[in-house]
Amino acid sequence: MVEELMGAVAAVCAGGLVYLAAAARIVKQYERGLVFRLGRVHGDVRRPGFTMIIPAVDRMRKVNLQIVTMPIPAQEGITRDNVTVRVDAVVYFKVVDPAAAIVNVEDYRFAVSQMAQTSLRSIIGKSELDDLLSNREKLNQGLELMIDSPAVEWGVTIDRVEIKDVSLPDTMKRSMARQAEADRERRARLINADAEYQASKKLAQAAHQMADTPSALQLRLLQTVMAVAAEKNSTLVLPIPVELLRFLERGREEDRRPQTREQTPEQTQAQPQAPAEHALEEAEHPLDKTEQAMEALRRAVEQ
């Protein structure tokens, strides 16, 4: 009798353990459990932790509440300015209503993916190429609104949408490169022209300053000659301005004046007057003075 009773208790315990193992469910922290009893949603959503269901009567569906990162396959389309592009993006979403995500849509992941692809194609057709390349933030917001509107009924909320890459045809890339190069060249020419204008204003001021003092121009010429003469690997061709010859001639005349003042009247009378023929010879040979001036200029340059 006792043995039969112990056997019955053992059988009940074993059955209880089997029932407990079949009815026990564990819901993780990032999940929620939705129980279907005979095909109908029963009770509230099960919270994280240990929970029990009736075996063979209840069936639990677990829904992940983490943010899902879903890449959108590259979509090819024609922009509003008739340019063929391929655009791919990524969408971040999460489930906020587990019951709606399971009951209202067959596969909410597939539904969000298809809606994202359709919205991306629509946004490509409504936008221009410049907007796709430079104004992506506005396009991301518009794409997020287009996907989020139907997803609300599915118990899904769109966290954010980002356009990853925009692929252009090779011909369009070359055209854009030429456009950028032309724009750079235009700006370089404008900067060069502005520099030339500023330099011309400074040169004009320097020319007015040198016009007031002619000797400054001669000093500038000598400085240029000295700078060029320092390089011994070049041949220097120096034009002699007439003003420089006059400057040297004036210096020679100033050197002769003190000697003329030191002569007494008797010495002046004692000196024989030059014959007219000698004066005519000096008048007929002006090259001697030019040669003397050239010799003086050469000595000045050597010094």
Side-chain angles (χ1 to χ4, degrees):
M1 185 67 182
V2 176
E3 293 180 356
E4 294 178 356
L5 182 61
M6 292 182 63
V9 171
V12 170
C13 292
L17 291 177
V18 171
Y19 178 82
L20 182 63
R25 294 289 185 273
I26 296 178
V27 181
K28 298 180 181 178
Q29 181 65 37
Y30 55 85
E31 293 178 339
R32 297 294 183 271
L34 188 64
V35 177
F36 290 89
R37 177 167 294 177
L38 299 177
R40 299 181 64 180
V41 177
H42 176 72
D44 297 333
V45 177
R46 302 296 175 92
R47 309 292 296 178
F50 180 81
T51 184
M52 297 285 294
I53 63 173
I54 301 175
V57 176
D58 295 342
R59 186 170 59 88
M60 177 180 289
R61 289 281 303 273
K62 297 180 181 179
V63 181
N64 193 335
L65 300 185
Q66 291 177 317
I67 295 178
V68 180
T69 303
M70 178 180 293
I72 304 176
Q75 302 296 313
E76 185 172 354
I78 301 177
T79 61
R80 193 167 61 180
D81 50 353
N82 298 325
V83 179
T84 303
V85 294
R86 288 178 60 88
V87 182
D88 57 348
V90 59
V91 57
Y92 302 88
F93 68 94
K94 64 180 180 179
V95 177
V96 293
D97 189 354
I102 298 299
V103 175
N104 295 345
V105 63
E106 180 181 3
D107 187 352
Y108 65 90
R109 289 175 178 266
F110 182 75
V112 171
S113 176
Q114 294 299 313
M115 179 57 65
Q117 296 180 33
T118 305
S119 301
L120 183 58
R121 283 178 175 271
S122 177
I123 211 73
I124 291 174
K126 295 179 181 179
S127 305
E128 295 184 356
L129 179 61
D130 294 338
D131 295 334
L132 290 175
L133 296 177
S134 60
N135 197 12
R136 293 189 180 182
E137 188 65 27
K138 183 178 179 181
L139 296 180
N140 292 337
Q141 295 177 0
L143 190 58
E144 179 180 349
L145 291 175
M146 294 178 65
I147 302 174
D148 190 62
S149 297
V152 173
E153 300 178 359
W154 306 334
V156 177
T157 181
I158 305 300
D159 188 69
R160 63 185 305 174
V161 181
E162 294 287 342
I163 295 177
K164 293 196 301 183
D165 188 24
V166 179
S167 301
L168 300 175
D170 294 336
T171 55
M172 181 58 64
K173 291 181 180 179
R174 288 193 293 268
S175 300
M176 294 176 65
R178 288 196 299 268
Q179 180 183 359
E181 184 179 357
D183 184 65
R184 293 283 182 178
E185 186 177 357
R186 177 183 63 84
R187 285 191 286 176
R189 289 184 178 180
L190 289 177
I191 294 173
N192 190 17
D194 186 55
E196 291 290 340
Y197 174 70
Q198 295 180 6
S200 64
K201 292 177 64 176
K202 295 296 182 181
L203 290 175
Q205 295 177 3
H208 286 299
Q209 187 69 24
M210 289 184 178
D212 297 337
T213 55
S215 58
L217 182 60
Q218 310 302 331
L219 294 175
R220 187 69 183 90
L221 177 61
L222 293 177
Q223 289 178 358
T224 304
V225 171
M226 293 177 61
V228 176
E231 300 292 336
K232 298 182 180 180
N233 58 352
S234 59
T235 303
L236 177 61
V237 179
L238 179 63
I240 304 298
V242 180
E243 290 80 2
L244 183 58
L245 297 178
R246 293 176 180 174
F247 175 75
L248 297 175
E249 186 68 22
R250 192 181 304 113
R252 291 183 61 187
E253 291 177 357
E254 291 178 356
D255 293 339
R256 292 175 182 175
R257 287 176 183 174
Q259 297 179 2
T260 305
R261 293 175 182 175
E262 292 176 358
Q263 292 180 355
T264 60
E266 292 80 5
Q267 293 176 350
T268 304
Q269 294 177 0
Q271 289 180 355
Q273 296 180 355
E277 292 81 0
H278 184 66
L280 291 173
E281 290 178 358
E282 291 182 354
E284 292 176 356
H285 298 281
L287 296 177
D288 296 337
K289 295 183 178 181
T290 304
E291 293 178 356
Q292 294 175 3
M294 292 290 292
E295 183 67 21
L297 177 61
R298 186 181 62 81
R299 292 177 181 176
V301 172
E302 291 179 355
Q303 291 177 0

